[in-house]
Amino acid sequence: MGYLRNHLATVVTGCFAVFLSGMYFYMPPPLHQLLLVATIVTWFLVVICWLAQKSADWTKKHGGHSEHSHPHDHSHSHDHSHEEKKSSAKLSNVSVEELDRFRTAFTAELEELKGEVKLKDNEIARMKQEIANLETLMQIESLKAELANLKAAAAKRK
């Protein structure tokens, strides 16, 4: 709680506005227009200060993000901040637990994927070996066919 229920700016500006309003009647007529403008502006500032403080008070009272919900009840604000700390600690614990759970689940999925990749790598290696064997068989068959052709050509020459 500030001075004058946090309306110090309003009161000071209001006093200045009252002073300017009074000076209007005591100053010479050539200054009346200047004082009239200054007085109107100052009273406008009084209204703005008052509305701003009312808005701040309302926000503080109805769920604003202030430490002290009720200015007279310090134990309530202490309990409130203590509850916020407990709540944030609980959220931190929940977050850590969830992160550990996600990490465990992701680690299990990663191990499963590694196993699948290893199986696929083994299968690829086996297929490469089969391809190499087939190529060797084709080369053997090609050599057999060429040898048979050479034997046939040699037999014709004799």
Side-chain angles (χ1 to χ4, degrees):
M1 180 64 68
Y3 297 107
L4 303 174
R5 297 183 55 134
N6 290 333
H7 285 282
L8 184 61
T10 307
V11 171
V12 169
T13 310
C15 289
F16 186 61
V18 168
F19 171 77
L20 286 177
S21 298
M23 292 303 293
Y24 177 82
F25 298 107
Y26 292 108
M27 296 303 280
L31 295 177
H32 281 193
Q33 187 163 358
L34 176 68
L35 283 170
L36 182 64
V37 170
T39 303
I40 291 170
V41 168
T42 310
W43 280 113
F44 176 74
L45 286 174
V46 169
V47 170
I48 294 298
C49 287
W50 182 78
L51 286 174
Q53 188 56 49
K54 285 297 183 184
S55 172
D57 291 345
W58 187 86
T59 303
K60 194 181 287 186
K61 183 178 179 183
H62 291 95
H65 295 288
S66 174
E67 258 185 49
H68 302 289
S69 296
H70 298 286
H72 296 292
D73 191 6
H74 294 291
S75 64
H76 179 71
S77 64
H78 176 69
D79 291 343
H80 182 67
S81 63
H82 185 66
E83 287 176 18
E84 284 180 2
K85 288 179 186 175
K86 277 185 177 178
S87 173
S88 65
K90 185 177 178 183
L91 288 176
S92 297
N93 288 341
V94 170
S95 297
V96 170
E97 290 171 359
E98 284 182 6
L99 287 175
D100 285 341
R101 188 170 34 115
F102 285 133
R103 182 179 54 88
T104 304
F106 288 142
T107 303
E109 283 185 40
L110 181 63
E111 292 300 323
E112 184 180 319
L113 287 173
K114 282 181 182 178
E116 288 179 13
V117 167
K118 191 178 280 187
L119 288 174
K120 296 292 182 186
D121 285 344
N122 290 340
E123 188 175 330
I124 289 171
R126 186 182 56 78
M127 288 183 164
K128 284 182 179 179
Q129 184 62 40
E130 284 183 19
I131 290 171
N133 290 343
L134 287 173
E135 286 176 350
T136 304
L137 284 175
M138 285 177 54
Q139 288 172 350
I140 290 172
E141 290 298 321
S142 173
L143 287 173
K144 281 182 182 179
E146 193 175 325
L147 184 61
N149 287 340
L150 286 175
K151 282 183 183 179
K156 284 183 185 180
R157 279 191 189 163
K158 284 188 179 179

